[in-house]
């Protein structure tokens, strides 16, 4: 595959997802494409870019190669501590209905189940939604089975006791069907949140989560252009987050959210050494 062909496909990835692949990922994307071409056709004139345009489901594999789906339970532990010790109870104090929590880039689901377990440990009723652009990682999320790589010895260790009821003899985590079925899992393309015409497209977006009390959208904006960050953040704040609700981004991303990106309805809050955004 020559450079021009790869550039064209990178452009398709960005147009579809808003993701601008890092330079370090371009080589693996190229290898993946060459492998797929071999699997799909023995015709030397086979045009993968055209095939990609006609088969949106093919994009999932490309997205997986354009991003890093590395995650683990209770990642960025300090954010979960703030939820457990303060914010969940603050939100629940004046609500009769379950709180709504959206893990908006849940990958294989560790973040989603971490949020659910933290809320359960507080005795707070919640309705959790997990979404991702990749169908492959969402399958693992729906299976609810995790290996040792999903547990770290340092970050997140404080709350790993919440996983003990679900540990097997092999030290894997297997969530029961009733727990897995208690969460909603959907394929959602964050770059298309503000495009209502895409709501009916099964390859692009599920029903937009609304009136969410807490949104976790972490380690995603690093793949977006500045313009896309602004667009996605504004749409989430305006259409998805309830008044008084909170948005959490990764602590590594906070510095990139200046006044030009953060919409007027959100204020940046610092509690101890944890940052988050609150809807006014």
């Amino acid at each position: 595959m020559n450079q021009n062909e790869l550039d064209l496909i990178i452009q398709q990835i960005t147009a579809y997802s808003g993701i601008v692949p890092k330079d370090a990922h371009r080589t693996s994307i190229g290898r993946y494409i060459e492998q797929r071409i071999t699997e799909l056709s023995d015709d030397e004139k086979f045009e993968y870019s055209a095939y990609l345009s006609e088969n949106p489901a093919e994009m999932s594999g490309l997205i997986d190669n354009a991003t890093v789906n590395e995650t683990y339970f209770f990642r960025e532990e300090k954010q979960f501590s703030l939820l457990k010790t303060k914010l969940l109870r603050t939100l629940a104090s004046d609500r009769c209905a379950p709180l709504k929590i959206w893990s908006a880039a849940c990958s294989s689901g560790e973040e989603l189940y971490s949020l659910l377990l933290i809320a359960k440990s507080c005795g707070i009723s919640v309705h959790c939604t997990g979404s991702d652009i990749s169908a492959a990682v969402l399958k693992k999320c729906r299976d609810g089975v995790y290996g040792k790589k999903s547990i770290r010895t340092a970050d997140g260790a404080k709350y790993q006791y919440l996983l003990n009821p679900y540990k097997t003899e092999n030290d894997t985590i297997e969530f029961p069907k009733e727990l897995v079925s208690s969460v909603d899992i959907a394929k959602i393309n964050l770059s298309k949140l503000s495009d209502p015409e895409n709501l009916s497209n099964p390859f692009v977006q599920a029903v937009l989560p609304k009136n969410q009390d807490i949104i976790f959208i972490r380690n995603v904006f690093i793949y977006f252009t500045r313009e896309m960050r602004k667009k996605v953040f504004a749409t989430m704040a305006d259409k998805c987050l309830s008044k008084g609700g909170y948005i959490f981004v990764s602590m590594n991303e906070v510095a990139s959210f200046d006044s030009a990106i953060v919409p007027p309805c959100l204020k940046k809050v610092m509690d101890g050494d944890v940052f988050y955004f609150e809807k006014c």
Side-chain angles (χ1 to χ4, degrees):
M1 171 174 295
N2 63 47
Q3 191 63 43
N4 289 337
E5 292 172 325
L6 181 58
D7 287 343
L8 175 60
I9 294 170
I10 295 294
Q11 291 172 14
Q12 289 177 277
I13 292 173
T14 301
Y16 173 83
S17 66
I19 292 170
V20 181
K22 303 294 184 182
D23 289 341
H25 297 148
R26 289 176 65 95
T27 300
S28 64
I29 292 171
R31 285 198 298 262
Y32 176 85
I33 293 169
E34 290 173 351
Q35 177 185 335
R36 288 295 294 147
I37 291 173
T38 300
E39 294 170 349
L40 291 166
S41 176
D42 56 5
D43 185 350
E44 294 182 358
K45 296 182 179 181
F46 179 79
E47 294 185 0
Y48 185 77
S49 62
Y51 178 83
L52 194 63
S53 298
E54 297 168 0
N55 298 272
E58 179 70 18
M59 186 64 74
S60 287
L62 270 178
I63 296 297
D64 287 343
N65 279 270
T67 58
V68 177
N69 286 311
E70 179 184 7
T71 185
Y72 50 90
F73 289 108
F74 308 108
R75 185 178 185 180
E76 298 193 63
E77 182 181 279
K78 291 181 180 180
Q79 292 183 335
F80 287 96
S81 290
L82 184 61
L83 286 176
K84 183 172 174 61
T85 60
K86 182 178 179 179
L87 297 185
L88 282 170
R89 290 187 174 88
T90 298
L91 287 171
S93 62
D94 60 351
R95 309 289 175 89
C96 296
L99 296 180
K100 293 183 178 181
I101 302 178
W102 178 22
S103 173
C106 70
S107 186
S108 48
E110 287 91 336
E111 179 181 275
L112 172 66
Y113 290 113
S114 294
L115 289 165
L116 177 61
L117 294 179
I118 284 287
K120 286 171 65 68
S121 73
C122 296
I124 293 173
S125 178
V126 294
H127 182 88
C128 291
T129 300
S131 68
D132 201 273
I133 194 173
S134 169
V137 295
L138 288 178
K139 181 182 184 304
K140 185 173 181 180
C141 186
R142 291 187 179 95
D143 291 341
V145 179
Y146 299 92
K148 296 178 181 179
K149 289 183 179 180
S150 295
I151 301 174
R152 300 296 167 89
T153 57
D155 188 30
K158 183 176 181 179
Y159 297 110
Q160 287 175 13
Y161 71 92
L162 298 175
L163 299 170
N164 288 341
Y166 313 105
K167 279 189 176 180
T168 69
E169 294 179 356
N170 298 323
D171 287 332
T172 59
I173 303 298
E174 295 186 13
F175 294 121
K177 290 182 179 179
E178 57 268 24
L179 187 106
V180 174
S181 63
S182 71
V183 300
D184 287 337
I185 299 171
K187 180 181 170 70
I188 293 180
N189 184 341
L190 295 176
S191 73
K192 308 298 183 183
L193 284 180
S194 61
D195 300 340
E197 69 271 16
N198 288 317
L199 287 171
S200 61
N201 187 336
F203 295 117
V204 174
Q205 182 176 341
V207 176
L208 185 68
K210 295 183 179 180
N211 301 316
Q212 300 297 304
D213 297 296
I214 298 172
I215 298 175
F216 266 52
I217 173 66
R218 305 189 302 176
N219 299 298
V220 176
F221 289 110
I222 56 174
Y223 296 106
F224 288 160
T225 63
R226 183 176 176 82
E227 293 73 19
M228 184 58 68
R229 291 177 201 164
K230 183 176 181 178
K231 175 184 175 182
V232 172
F233 211 47
T235 303
M236 279 191 161
D238 180 47
K239 297 184 178 181
C240 303
L241 189 66
S242 62
K243 186 175 181 180
Y246 310 125
I247 294 181
F248 283 82
V249 299
S250 170
M251 296 298 288
N252 296 325
E253 297 172 307
V254 171
S256 65
F257 285 84
D258 56 34
S259 58
I261 291 180
V262 179
C265 66
L266 292 182
K267 66 177 180 179
K268 189 176 180 180
V269 180
M270 182 176 183
D271 194 317
D273 53 1
V274 177
F275 287 92
Y276 61 93
F277 298 91
E278 181 177 1
K279 186 170 182 177
C280 307

